[in-house]
Amino acid sequence: MSRRGAVAWLQTKRVSPGVWLESRFAFDSRRKAVSAAVAVMLLGGLVSLLRGQDANWDLRNYHLYNGYAWLHDRLALDLAPAQMQSYFSPLLDVLHAGLMLGLPAPVGGFVLGVLHGAVFVPLSWVIWQVLGERPDRARLAPLLAFAGLCTAAFLSEFGNTMGDNLSAGFVIAALALAMQARRFDLVDRAAATVWCLAGAALGMAVAFKLTNALYAVALGVAVLLCGGRWRTRIVGGALLTMSACTVFVLLAGHWYFKVWETFGNPLFPQFNAIFHGPLAQPMAIADTR
């Protein structure tokens, strides 16, 4: 073959990046879907490393301390060294402390990035269901899910210890499972299992970060108002709520009970206008003077 002929042959075989990505990561087979998830998670680890060392204010204030304090049972020894955040549920911070104190810094940062990248999986599931029967959803679902990880808010906390990105995966998983459960006309055993799994994911999200309770309430209201048979909505909402509360109590109940037992307020020092713990002012959340 002549040189000119070889060049022409290579040009005919040249594949655009979009076609190459679609051929490997489109959701038209289980293997490609798994490949897309693994690729995004590994990319998340690399992005976390490229962003450099995490030094956010909350890490300096309480994310590292809370995990360390829980591991060493310092609740009754230290007096608010991280201000009122000293008494937040330490579940996620135990993970952060373990990564920071037990692993080399680059390894810990890479693991956090991989975990944040894993949000791609439930987000893809939500998008897959929203796209319905569109003929191009196998191509669009991974692209839109990846775009969802590239928002300013998500990237601003990527690979750090704030906890929003990590717990967001459980909130989105609860939404995806609730959407799947809504496909059942009646709440039979299969539907009940999916509703309970949705509630479990929601309970985990709230146990990890209490501010996710806003999304729990929103999802519960959405289940009741999203149309369909009233009996299906009420039973589904009840299963979602009971499962979420059960998982929350199992994961975080011991911490809030211990804080209540120690300070007379499970959310100490917040909402002390209700609980009247003796070591804080009787104020709702903060001193407004």
Side-chain angles (χ1 to χ4, degrees), residues 34-63:
V34 172
S35 297
V38 172
V40 171
M41 291 167 68
L42 293 177
L43 180 61
L46 294 176
V47 170
S48 178
L49 290 179
L50 291 174
R51 285 177 54 83
Q53 183 176 356
D54 181 14
N56 70 81
W57 165 250
D58 285 348
L59 169 61
R60 295 169 180 264
N61 182 35
Y62 73 97
H63 285 311

Side-chain angles (χ1 to χ4, degrees), residues 30 36 61-62 75 85 128 148 151 164 171 230 256 270:
R30 182 174 299 179
N61 182 35
Y62 73 97
L75 180 63
Q85 287 88 351
W128 180 265
T151 60
D164 297 301
V171 176
W230 266 108
Y256 292 107
Q270 300 179 97

Side-chain angles (χ1 to χ4, degrees), residues 34 45 79 82 121 145 170 215 257 285:
V34 172
L79 184 58
V121 176
F170 295 95
Y215 305 115
F257 179 77
I285 296 177

Side-chain angles (χ1 to χ4, degrees), residues 40-41 43-48 108-118 158-159:
V40 171
M41 291 167 68
L43 180 61
L46 294 176
V47 170
S48 178
F110 184 83
V111 171
L112 272 179
V114 168
L115 293 175
H116 290 178
F158 204 92

